[in-house]
Amino acid sequence: MFKANKLGIIGVVILLLFLFFALFGPIYVEMMGNSYSPMGGMDTSLGINPETNSYAWPPSLKHPMGTDSKGSDIFSQFLNGSYLAFLIGISIALGAAILGVIMGLISGYWGGRWIDSLIMRSADALVSIPFLPLLIVIAAVVGSLHLFTFIMIMMVFSWVGVCRVIRAQTLSLRTRPYIDSARVAGASSSRIIFKHIAPNVIPLGFYELTMIVGAAIITESGISFLGFGDPTQMSWGMMINFCTAQGHTFKAPWWLLPPGFGITLLSMAFYLIGRAFDEIVNPRLRKME
Amino acid sequence: MGRLRYPLRRIIEGLITLFIVMTIIFLLFRVMPGDPLSIVIDPKMTPEVKEMIRHSYGLDQPMFVQYGIYLKNLFTLNLGESFRYSQPVSEVLAARIPNTLLLFTSASVLSAVLGIILGRIIAWRRNSKLEYGLTLAGLFFYEMPIFWFGLILIYLFAFRLNLFPISGMIDFELWTLGATTGEKIIDILHHLILPLITLTTASFCGMMLLMRTSMVETMKEDYVEAAKARGLPDKVVRDSYAARNAELPVITAFILSLSASIGGGVLTEKIFSWPGIGYELYQATIGRDYPLAQGCFFILTLMTILAVIVIDITYAYLDPRVSYD
Amino acid sequence: MANLFEVRGLKKYFPVGTNLQFVNLKMFHFQMKQRVFTKEEEWVRAVDGVSFKVDDREVFGLVGESGCGKTTIGRLIVKLMEPTEGDIYLDGKNIVKLSKNELKDFRKNVGMIFQDPYDSLNPRFTILESVKEPLDIHRIGEREDRIKKVVSILKEVGLNPEKSFLKRYPHELSGGQRQRVAIARTLIVNPKMVIADEPCSMLDVSIRAETMKMMIKLKEEFGLSILYITHDISEARNVTDSMAVMYLGKIVESGRTDDIIENPSHPYSKALISVVPDIDPDIKRGKIELLGGVPSSSNIPKGCRFNPRCPYAMDICREKEPDYIRVEKDHIASCHLL
Amino acid sequence: MNAKTKILEVNGVVMHYRLSGGRSVRAVDGISFSVEEGRTTGIVGESGCGKSSVAGTILRTLPDNGEIKSGKIYFKHGEIAGKSGMIDLFSLSEEEIQKIRWKGISMIFQGAMNSLNPVRRVGDQIIEIMRYKDKISKEEAQKRLERLCNIVHIDPKRMRSYPHQFSGGMKQRAVIAMALSTDPKLIIADEPTTALDLITQDRIMEEIKEIQKELKMSMIFISHDLSLVSEISDRVIVMYAGKIVESCDKRSLFREAVHPYTRGLINSCPRIRGDKGKLSGIPGEPPSLSSPPKGCRFHPRCPYAIAICREEEPEYKEMGEGHFSACWVVSDG
């Protein structure tokens, strides 16, 4: 069935490619030596490029994506960026999904009770908070956002989508005859939630989960671009930030373009896979047969 | 009461949300490690001066009194004084709000209208080349980091082709030379185009993709099949049967995405130096102008909540199944 | 015969929504927030004082149009909801308030079969898992015994060959087969009483008769009592021993099934019988035309609740609610005409 | 049978649904019947026997994977696309069939509850169809709507309501009004009363009968309920697994039906009148249409099946005057 979905295959291919990049990063540095380290490594053999008035050189055999203004290898930074993107995207998405599934199940199963209202009110409030500005304000107080802090805050803001989907599905499942049938057979609430409801609703949250991955990667890049990111990590957003901060935006397209394409393509891959998966598990999208 | 009851209730709900959000902000700043005034207070100051500043911010009072002062100040829009501008934050913001509203409202309306129209067309031509192409392109632009896209636009259209100004909202030279109102409007529009395209593209693509999915779903509903069987013209079936119903969940999704697009607004304003709230927020943060940063955040939140309320109310009027009393 | 089961003065009122309700419309990734406001302090009197008895090994029918409260009664009896008022007795014991252990015991004794065979089995459970679940819950027998028991009960409900069904999923089965699986699942713990809520109404005609026959056969074999809920009075005629006709939350007539079919006393029962179409075009049915539609159960008419639709309504019907009158032995009806 | 003019003639129509993996469902497998002017032909069969697909084939409103393989459908229509008299519907272009829809043939849908647009007023939806099909003014459409309301017994004021404010019976009436709104020559009613209570069903059936008598409408009435079909139809067609197994006059159905499936259906119907008798269903389950059994499709469930039934398909032939059936056992006596 997965095969029938062309866009889904495109997604898988892109994802595998970036997964390879992420895993290849440390090997590449190992192979090429410390001057290729994504943080602080620089090629001292380079001279000043008169075009850019810095050590930034366009792609060559030695540096497949060129170098930045300090003479650092951009390909190595790019590989590291894709590792970070996976780390950030997947940990935020998983955390948010677990939170969202639990909240959604609770909220849906006890729909209409106070606990449901509490969760849904909080979700409404969270949706009304513009979180990028909030991240900026927090960054203002603490200086810059450490990766761990960033991941934690993003988790808190990202579960709402999953929660809504799971809750809506749980609410509709709750009144289905087979749930009633389990109850009449004597099943306890926990048995009903975990054995009957959860397996039927969790797959439906997968689409939201892939959306979160994309959103997390993009948000991190935005924060890093503004200069509030974790200064110890060379993420894609950070690369763009350095490029513009060094005044190379218009001078060194080889520096500006790779991280942007990385962010776009990887988020897109997750989205495509989520969509394909959704079309498979979501029976409403299926036609006859 | 009648029809007014629903909007009224929504406004009250919105106020409660605002209250909750600002309370969270209050706690956040008080709970965060470090002195909230560390950015204001210079270590070289004498203890008396430090105490004075502390007192002027009410930080020597117990927590709940501070909270009371904080809320009172928020609701009287007494947001403190900006360090950078040495004038009340509310005055600084008042000058910025129209600029943000201009950019943001036009981008939202444009992306909603365009997204719904295009989504409707590609859903109707299911499995065509047009659908695949637009879906893939839409996805690409949707997942693109907005600031990066903006930088590329600047590079191409402002730097290389020199069609538009690189940044800002007005051309100072032109304005100081005493331009006519017409020229001024054209100047602003000229400056507006690139940021508008930047901000519109991502959310427009999102809307289009959503509309497509929603429409594909709706087209399987019995009433759409029935309308086709009745021999109504395609255009009528598409627009007043399928699309009319498909729009409803898209509007809900639009609400959910609002707070994210405000984030996009901040980034857009930053790269184009558009003198709005988002740009001010960025500047205030960089310059450690704490009252101004908090004020910007407050206004942005207020704007999000207001937008949610307005769209929610519109929704209620679009869907007759929602009753008012 | 002993009364296995008795319901006395059962009432269930629902508030017509609290003042703010979130209704979920089916929609793909999003929950569509649809806010519905309704007036407070309005009550739907879904079940409005119902009493009846079911004898040991008897099939008792509850017949009425949709919205008359028959399904609510079924759900009240199996404790899927709590009654507003009234008592329910099983074997002489009041089951309205039960402790946790008593409830578990009760769950073993009372089972339910649902209307929709496409939705009454968990789609992710195999047939074996579905039928075995009650045994797991009540910890009956060892693993091996449980499987043996599942096989033998599948045979009882006529799923042939039994073993071929164990590993299959509900979507691979037809409606009739699913309903048989649901029946097997209910009967596997040997309940005393089964509530069957329109078990045949969604099945095809040819399957329907077979299913009804099987239920009667199983009733004999398992020594069951069945509360058979249906909107189709001709179905009730073929399945039940006694029955009660319900209208707007109340029983209007009850008695032996044959007595009611041959000699309906309440105008509503008469009408219900008269509208059943017949395959034999030569049979002329004496139609009783009712006036208007069913009123909302949040706004039940004064006096006899049937009066606005009754072709024979008199002045007293608009004023006073009629008492139950004995028509024959065990046959009562509530109408001022009697 | 007196020579009544036929308004619709269906001739050996075969329609398949394509499935993934090259398989297909033979939903309609070579069926032929006709509808006479001013008369009602009833089609009865269990779910999945292809009876609703017949309706979709006639109006050509099949889902994308539905494919008409062979056969002809002739419909007596005024002049269209330069043709008149009995027009071959399959030869018409999409645009031409669009003109037949609702002007020539209209339909009362299965699940009428969901065939109304939830966000538009019921009256507007009916007026819309009249204005598009008959090109009349708003005022005229409004007047016609009021007449329709009288026919289907809805208070014209209620036409300003939205569908969700209607009860099931009301929605059904609205859908009937919509089917009548453009004065079609033939109405196809596909399970118009399922999901309704018996009393409401009876009321609606009475109204349909009345309307038919008054407007001299030709109708195809599709239902799974044998007694309902036999009450309203002049001729009854019994379908099983994509084929017609028996068709006859409604009077002879109950007493003279010969096909074992028809007899089984009759004996499966619980009755409220006459002897309680014994209910006897049909053992087994209807076959899957993607892999129907060889020979007579009913043979696995048939108590009288003989060797030839398992091998060869029986011919659909005339047993008595106007009484057709497809069964080896019966035709061999």
Side-chain angles (χ1 to χ4, degrees):
Chain A
M1 264 192 290
F2 221 86
K3 274 185 194 151
N5 200 315
K6 281 182 209 154
L7 292 178
I9 298 173
I10 299 179
V12 172
V13 170
I14 302 175
L15 185 82
L16 288 177
L17 184 73
F18 277 92
L19 197 62
F20 168 76
F21 285 156
L23 299 174
F24 181 62
I27 304 173
Y28 180 69
V29 177
E30 191 109 320
M31 268 162 46
M32 307 301 282
N34 254 349
S35 63
Y36 278 78
S37 149
M39 287 300 293
M42 52 188 86
D43 188 346
T44 44
S45 67
L46 291 172
I48 291 212
N49 180 353
E51 295 269 315
T52 58
N53 204 14
S54 70
Y55 295 102
W57 286 90
S60 60
L61 276 179
K62 204 173 166 196
H63 299 285
M65 282 183 179
T67 54
D68 73 3
S69 60
K70 283 194 239 114
S72 250
D73 181 53
I74 289 178
F75 185 55
S76 164
Q77 295 179 355
F78 179 77
L79 295 181
N80 191 57
S82 75
Y83 159 75
L84 279 175
F86 271 101
L87 179 76
I88 292 165
I90 290 182
S91 55
I92 289 172
L94 276 183
I98 292 169
L99 208 59
V101 165
I102 292 172
M103 294 290 198
L105 281 173
I106 292 174
S107 191
Y109 188 75
W110 283 286
R113 309 258 190 97
W114 66 270
I115 180 97
D116 175 40
S117 320
L118 182 73
I119 292 175
M120 289 325 283
R121 291 279 88 181
S122 329
D124 278 351
L126 278 178
V127 163
S128 304
I129 302 176
F131 61 85
L132 193 93
L134 180 75
L135 283 168
I136 295 173
V137 172
I138 294 173
V141 175
V142 295
S144 64
L145 280 179
H146 197 266
L147 201 57
F148 180 74
T149 323
F150 174 75
I151 289 175
M152 282 328 218
I153 295 174
M154 280 301 286
M155 275 181 194
V156 173
F157 278 92
S158 307
W159 58 270
V160 176
V162 177
C163 173
R164 275 177 197 277
V165 173
I166 298 291
R167 175 178 181 271
Q169 291 299 326
T170 308
L171 272 178
S172 79
L173 275 192
R174 195 175 59 145
T175 54
R176 297 288 267 288
Y178 72 84
I179 302 295
D180 283 341
S181 162
R183 198 166 293 148
V184 171
S188 59
S189 283
S190 62
R191 187 186 180 90
I192 290 174
I193 294 180
F194 293 113
K195 283 222 137 178
H196 290 276
I197 295 179
N200 283 301
V201 300
I202 287 175
L204 298 169
F206 186 79
Y207 171 83
E208 290 292 324
L209 184 128
T210 58
M211 296 281 281
I212 298 173
V213 178
I217 296 173
I218 293 172
T219 308
E220 193 279 335
S221 71
I223 284 291
S224 294
F225 168 71
L226 291 176
F228 303 120
D230 192 331
T232 63
Q233 306 289 340
M234 185 51 79
S235 69
W236 285 333
M238 204 59 113
M239 289 168 72
I240 301 175
N241 174 35
F242 283 171
C243 176
T244 47
Q246 303 295 328
H248 280 57
T249 319
F250 305 142
K251 291 193 284 195
W254 63 86
W255 190 1
L256 183 69
L257 292 181
F261 277 112
I263 296 164
T264 311
L265 289 175
L266 186 56
S267 324
M268 199 171 125
F270 275 105
Y271 179 91
L272 287 175
I273 292 169
R275 214 183 72 135
F277 186 79
D278 196 61
E279 277 180 26
I280 293 166
V281 298
N282 194 343
R284 267 183 48 74
L285 281 166
R286 257 187 268 166
K287 269 196 165 176
M288 274 190 66
E289 177 90 324
Chain B
M1 293 284 273
R3 298 207 134 206
L4 275 179
R5 191 161 154 178
Y6 180 72
L8 210 66
R9 184 180 288 277
R10 283 299 288 124
I11 290 168
I12 293 167
E13 279 175 21
L15 281 177
I16 295 171
T17 312
L18 184 68
F19 174 76
I20 295 171
V21 173
M22 293 321 284
T23 304
I24 294 171
I25 292 297
F26 174 81
L27 291 174
L28 201 68
F29 282 103
R30 301 309 183 267
V31 167
M32 281 270 172
D35 189 335
L37 283 185
S38 62
I39 44 176
V40 186
I41 297 174
D42 192 324
K44 278 174 272 177
M45 288 173 178
T46 61
E48 289 84 58
V49 177
K50 281 185 189 170
E51 209 38 58
M52 235 178 70
I53 296 177
R54 213 167 271 283
H55 180 76
S56 70
Y57 282 95
L59 287 179
D60 50 352
Q61 311 266 8
M63 191 77 114
F64 65 90
V65 178
Q66 288 182 32
Y67 181 57
I69 296 169
Y70 169 84
L71 283 186
K72 193 184 131 231
N73 286 345
L74 279 186
F75 284 96
T76 52
L77 288 180
N78 175 11
L79 302 168
E81 188 154 309
S82 158
F83 304 149
R84 264 158 43 92
Y85 296 92
S86 302
Q87 56 173 314
V89 168
S90 44
E91 278 176 29
V92 178
L93 292 177
R96 301 286 178 258
I97 288 174
N99 304 347
T100 292
L101 279 182
L102 171 67
L103 177 60
F104 207 78
T105 320
S106 48
S108 300
V109 171
L110 207 61
S111 62
V113 172
L114 282 179
I116 285 177
I117 290 175
L118 262 174
R120 165 197 300 187
I121 290 172
I122 60 175
W124 195 250
R125 301 221 192 138
R126 211 151 180 229
N127 296 325
S128 65
K129 284 226 170 66
L130 182 80
E131 193 213 354
Y132 273 107
L134 273 180
T135 305
L136 212 57
L139 260 172
F140 187 78
F141 285 106
Y142 175 66
E143 299 289 0
M144 196 178 267
I146 196 164
F147 56 92
W148 185 69
F149 181 57
L151 288 175
I152 291 173
L153 287 184
I154 295 176
Y155 177 73
L156 288 178
F157 296 102
F159 184 72
R160 272 285 146 102
L161 300 172
N162 211 1
L163 290 176
F164 301 102
I166 285 186
S167 67
M169 184 170 153
I170 52 170
D171 186 341
F172 283 106
E173 232 171 275
L174 186 81
W175 284 55
T176 43
L177 284 176
T180 61
T181 322
E183 280 171 334
K184 284 180 180 175
I185 291 175
I186 289 171
D187 183 46
I188 292 181
L189 287 180
H190 192 214
H191 280 80
L192 180 67
I193 289 177
L194 279 189
L196 186 61
I197 294 176
T198 310
L199 195 52
T200 305
T201 305
S203 61
F204 144 70
C205 290
M207 295 288 279
M208 179 182 80
L209 295 172
L210 265 174
M211 184 64 190
R212 188 201 77 98
T213 321
S214 177
M215 181 98 170
V216 167
E217 289 284 288
T218 314
M219 273 155 57
K220 283 177 216 154
E221 295 285 349
D222 288 348
Y223 52 81
V224 178
E225 296 287 330
K228 277 190 210 160
R230 263 173 238 149
L232 287 174
D234 268 9
K235 205 174 154 318
V236 174
V237 178
R238 186 189 73 188
D239 295 349
S240 62
Y241 285 77
R244 181 71 176 70
N245 284 282
E247 278 158 20
L248 299 174
V250 175
I251 294 169
T252 310
F254 188 56
I255 295 176
L256 292 179
S257 71
L258 258 181
S259 60
S261 25
I262 290 221
V266 173
L267 289 162
T268 309
E269 287 185 4
K270 193 258 161 187
I271 56 168
F272 286 97
S273 307
W274 184 266
I277 306 284
Y279 185 54
E280 207 57 70
L281 174 69
Y282 171 73
Q283 294 288 343
T285 320
I286 293 289
R288 317 219 128 192
D289 189 344
Y290 169 68
L292 184 55
Q294 187 186 280
C296 290
F297 179 74
F298 175 71
I299 294 296
L300 285 176
T301 311
L302 191 66
M303 274 166 52
T304 321
I305 290 173
L306 281 179
V308 169
I309 292 174
V310 169
I311 303 171
D312 241 3
I313 293 170
T314 320
Y315 179 89
Y317 283 91
L318 279 178
D319 190 341
R321 284 165 296 189
V322 179
S323 54
Y324 307 97
D325 41 26
Chain C
M1 259 192 284
N3 292 143
L4 173 79
F5 183 83
E6 190 177 350
V7 163
R8 259 188 236 154
L10 197 63
K11 289 186 181 175
K12 178 70 185 173
Y13 294 174
F14 298 103
V16 186
T18 45
N19 52 6
L20 178 64
Q21 244 185 322
F22 291 91
V23 178
N24 289 285
L25 287 191
K26 53 173 183 177
M27 208 50 238
F28 56 125
H29 316 302
F30 307 98
Q31 172 213 349
M32 240 166 99
K33 259 192 280 173
Q34 188 190 336
R35 295 174 164 85
V36 180
F37 297 109
T38 40
K39 282 186 208 108
E40 287 172 84
E41 295 298 310
E42 219 181 84
W43 295 86
V44 171
R45 286 142 75 187
V47 178
D48 202 10
V50 164
S51 308
F52 60 87
K53 289 176 190 164
V54 182
D55 286 337
D56 203 6
R57 293 170 185 247
E58 183 189 40
V59 184
F60 186 88
L62 270 184
V63 182
E65 289 170 280
S66 61
C68 73
K70 56 190 195 301
T71 297
T72 309
I73 291 182
R75 297 175 70 83
L76 286 170
I77 292 172
V78 295
K79 295 185 76 62
L80 282 172
M81 18 166 116
E82 295 291 316
T84 309
E85 222 176 272
D87 298 302
I88 305 168
Y89 298 91
L90 179 70
D91 265 345
K93 189 175 176 327
N94 194 333
I95 56 147
V96 171
K97 293 259 179 300
L98 290 178
S99 73
K100 222 177 162 187
N101 281 338
E102 287 171 321
L103 180 66
K104 199 144 193 202
D105 204 44
F106 169 78
R107 292 284 188 220
K108 222 171 85 182
N109 285 325
V110 179
M112 183 156 184
I113 299 164
F114 295 85
Q115 176 179 16
D116 186 350
Y118 293 93
D119 214 8
S120 58
L121 297 172
N122 188 333
R124 282 171 194 273
F125 276 27
T126 60
I127 303 307
L128 173 66
E129 285 170 318
S130 271
V131 180
K132 191 164 72 76
E133 191 186 27
L135 296 178
D136 297 338
I137 291 170
H138 295 289
R139 301 209 172 78
I140 299 171
E142 296 298 313
R143 221 188 101 77
E144 292 299 307
D145 296 346
R146 290 182 193 170
I147 296 176
K148 255 183 229 155
K149 218 164 172 184
V150 170
V151 173
S152 77
I153 196 112
L154 286 181
K155 190 175 180 170
E156 291 276 352
V157 296
L159 287 172
N160 230 321
E162 314 87 70
K163 291 216 167 98
S164 71
F165 283 91
L166 294 180
K167 288 255 169 343
R168 287 161 80 182
Y169 285 91
H171 67 88
E172 299 168 46
L173 269 55
S174 69
Q177 289 170 330
R178 286 183 214 208
Q179 202 57 301
R180 281 163 195 257
V181 172
I183 292 171
R185 176 185 154 91
T186 308
L187 293 184
I188 198 161
V189 284
N190 277 322
K192 291 181 187 157
M193 164 115 188
V194 167
I195 319 297
D197 186 2
E198 308 240 14
C200 296
S201 68
M202 290 184 77
L203 301 179
D204 271 322
V205 188
S206 70
I207 313 286
R208 201 180 282 182
E210 288 288 301
T211 313
M212 283 188 231
K213 266 165 67 188
M214 186 194 64
M215 287 192 60
I216 296 168
K217 184 194 98 182
L218 291 174
K219 180 206 88 175
E220 295 299 332
E221 278 172 29
F222 284 76
L224 285 176
S225 299
I226 298 178
L227 181 69
Y228 196 93
I229 299 170
T230 178
H231 70 280
D232 187 341
I233 200 164
S234 54
E235 195 178 307
R237 183 196 187 198
N238 282 276
V239 180
T240 63
D241 304 313
S242 305
M243 69 183 208
V245 179
M246 283 189 73
Y247 182 77
L248 266 191
K250 264 203 136 151
I251 291 177
V252 293
E253 181 162 8
S254 80
R256 306 291 308 164
T257 300
D258 292 340
D259 293 345
I260 292 183
I261 301 289
E262 273 150 38
N263 182 21
S265 309
H266 197 280
Y268 180 67
S269 319
K270 285 181 190 164
L272 213 51
I273 291 172
S274 80
V275 296
V276 177
D278 206 282
I279 359 170
D280 186 351
D282 292 333
I283 285 191
K284 287 276 167 283
R285 39 186 172 123
K287 266 205 189 158
I288 298 178
E289 290 273 348
L290 295 187
L291 320 163
V294 189
S296 142
S297 33
S298 62
N299 190 14
I300 289 177
K302 204 178 152 228
C304 170
R305 54 193 66 204
F306 185 58
N307 86 66
R309 298 180 77 192
C310 183
Y312 315 113
M314 308 172 291
D315 283 342
I316 187 172
C317 302
R318 286 173 203 104
E319 294 302 323
K320 196 174 156 287
E321 198 157 3
D323 293 323
Y324 289 103
I325 312 239
R326 189 169 300 279
V327 189
E328 320 165 55
K329 184 179 174 290
D330 290 337
H331 182 175
I332 53 169
S334 142
C335 180
H336 287 299
L337 282 174
L338 299 172
Chain D
M1 201 182 274
N2 49 9
K4 273 262 190 180
T5 39
K6 288 173 181 170
I7 185 157
L8 184 90
E9 200 176 338
V10 175
N11 225 328
V13 167
V14 178
M15 198 280 293
H16 289 185
Y17 289 114
R18 263 174 292 116
L19 297 182
S20 54
R23 291 175 303 132
S24 63
V25 166
R26 304 189 213 170
V28 178
D29 204 359
I31 68 164
S32 310
F33 67 92
S34 56
V35 183
E36 285 161 5
E37 235 164 40
R39 297 291 197 104
T40 301
T41 296
I43 303 181
V44 70
E46 294 175 275
S47 56
C49 73
K51 57 188 190 303
S52 294
S53 302
V54 173
T57 313
I58 295 171
L59 262 182
R60 275 214 258 148
T61 54
L62 295 166
D64 294 342
N65 62 342
E67 208 176 321
I68 296 163
K69 290 279 187 189
S70 60
K72 289 263 191 288
I73 295 179
Y74 295 101
F75 176 63
K76 192 179 163 210
H77 191 79
E79 199 177 330
I80 186 163
K83 298 162 203 160
S84 59
M86 294 298 268
I87 299 165
D88 179 3
L89 289 185
F90 292 161
S91 73
L92 297 183
S93 71
E94 180 58 29
E95 240 163 77
E96 288 157 355
I97 194 101
Q98 190 79 325
K99 286 180 192 142
I100 300 260
R101 287 182 195 143
W102 239 255
K103 274 312 288 172
I105 307 171
S106 72
M107 189 159 168
I108 301 167
F109 293 94
Q110 181 173 21
M113 318 301 195
N114 303 324
S115 70
L116 295 167
N117 187 346
V119 298
R120 298 185 58 207
R121 296 177 202 279
V122 177
D124 291 352
Q125 295 185 48
I126 301 177
I127 286 179
E128 175 187 64
I129 182 84
M130 292 191 278
R131 296 200 59 198
Y132 272 110
K133 285 290 160 184
D134 288 346
K135 311 272 182 275
I136 53 175
S137 72
K138 217 172 183 175
E139 291 69 38
E140 206 177 321
Q142 187 62 44
K143 254 187 240 151
R144 217 198 267 181
L145 178 67
E146 272 161 40
R147 272 209 306 280
L148 282 171
C149 286
N150 287 332
I151 296 177
V152 296
H153 302 115
I154 303 183
D155 179 359
K157 283 188 211 110
R158 292 298 308 271
M159 280 292 158
R160 291 196 45 76
S161 306
Y162 288 98
H164 71 278
Q165 294 161 325
F166 272 24
S167 68
M170 294 269 286
K171 275 186 216 169
Q172 196 57 57
R173 289 191 174 92
V175 170
I176 293 172
M178 198 177 265
L180 294 173
S181 65
T182 48
D183 267 330
K185 298 193 168 58
L186 172 71
I187 288 190
I188 303 175
D190 186 2
E191 304 259 16
T193 59
T194 23
L196 293 178
D197 275 310
L198 284 175
I199 289 179
T200 321
Q201 165 178 308
D202 181 65
R203 192 83 65 73
I204 303 257
M205 289 303 286
E206 287 301 323
E207 278 166 24
I208 293 180
K209 275 185 222 165
E210 229 169 80
I211 292 164
Q212 204 217 354
K213 212 183 280 166
E214 240 169 73
L215 306 179
K216 305 224 169 12
M217 195 93 63
S218 322
M219 184 155 77
I220 297 178
F221 189 92
I222 301 173
S223 175
H224 66 282
D225 189 334
L226 191 58
S227 30
L228 212 55
V229 170
S230 74
E231 272 207 358
I232 196 163
S233 315
D234 300 299
R235 267 192 87 73
V236 178
I237 291 169
V238 183
M239 278 184 77
Y240 184 77
K243 286 188 166 286
I244 296 179
V245 293
E246 185 153 19
S247 82
C248 62
D249 193 55
K250 83 156 163 196
R251 299 228 160 260
S252 43
L253 180 81
F254 176 60
R255 284 175 227 293
E256 292 160 31
V258 288
H259 197 283
Y261 176 67
T262 317
R263 291 250 57 103
L265 266 191
I266 291 173
N267 292 334
S268 303
C269 286
R271 294 180 65 197
I272 197 96
R273 296 173 199 86
D275 277 345
K276 191 162 166 183
K278 268 235 167 97
L279 270 190
S280 60
I282 305 172
E285 303 272 340
S288 137
L289 287 175
S290 48
S291 55
K294 214 182 147 202
C296 170
R297 291 184 179 180
F298 187 60
H299 86 253
R301 301 174 75 186
C302 181
Y304 312 107
I306 50 176
I308 190 167
C309 301
R310 291 183 243 309
E311 295 304 323
E312 268 176 74
E313 273 191 47
E315 202 187 328
Y316 179 61
K317 59 184 179 186
E318 193 155 10
M319 300 279 148
E321 203 195 328
H323 188 152
F324 294 81
S325 176
C327 177
W328 285 117
V329 181
V330 176
S331 60
D332 285 1

